[in-house]
Amino acid sequence: MHDISRLEQEFLSVAPETSALEVVTKMKSAGLGCALVLEDGELVGIFTERDLLNKLTGAGAVPHQTAVRELMSGHPEVLSDRDSIAIAVNKMSMGRYRHIPIRKADGSYSVTSIKHVLKYIAKSEW
């Protein structure tokens, strides 16, 4: 079966109060395009490069003072690690997501991206 657990996954989490500047610095350092926003171990949002470009721009932007909670996409769609890759592709396509959180059986989270999906498909013998 071609389930999500076969895809490469990544993980970077931050608290909702973390400054946008700190989150962006962590994302850049880790080479990741998003960070999951967790509060008490629960996913409350996702902060992506798109959020940065669309919400933290202009002369009034203060990334060191703006909490990621104000910029994140709240209540993101989440897949189960037992969902199929086809479901992931469908959700990513319909929602225009490049990253999608995955909730693992143990309750922890990770993220997969369209880059990981395409890499898997290119290597697979369907």
Side-chain angles (χ1 to χ4, degrees), residues 76-95:
E77 192 144 7
V78 178
L79 298 176
S80 162
D81 62 356
R82 294 174 308 277
D83 285 334
S84 71
I85 293 172
I87 289 174
V89 169
N90 179 274
K91 297 278 186 189
M92 294 170 105
S93 173
M94 298 303 289

Side-chain angles (χ1 to χ4, degrees), residues 2-16:
H2 298 282
D3 63 37
I4 290 176
S5 66
R6 294 175 172 242
L7 297 176
E8 287 182 38
Q9 297 175 23
E10 51 200 38
F11 180 74
L12 172 64
S13 72
V14 296

Side-chain angles (χ1 to χ4, degrees), residues 22-99:
E22 184 178 343
V23 177
V24 170
T25 301
K26 287 181 177 188
M27 288 168 55
K28 184 176 178 183
S29 175
L32 300 176
C34 73
L36 297 181
V37 183
L38 300 178
E39 188 168 45
D40 299 323
E42 288 301 314
L43 182 67
V44 295
I46 185 170
F47 179 75
T48 67
E49 297 160 320
R50 186 177 293 162
D51 292 319
L52 174 65
L53 292 173
N54 290 332
K55 299 175 184 174
L56 190 68
T57 57
V62 284
H64 60 285
Q65 294 178 352
T66 304
V68 73
R69 177 187 302 276
E70 297 176 40
L71 306 170
M72 70 183 189
S73 297
H75 309 289
E77 192 144 7
V78 178
L79 298 176
S80 162
D81 62 356
R82 294 174 308 277
D83 285 334
S84 71
I85 293 172
I87 289 174
V89 169
N90 179 274
K91 297 278 186 189
M92 294 170 105
S93 173
M94 298 303 289
R96 299 186 62 211
Y97 312 132
R98 288 184 296 161
H99 302 90

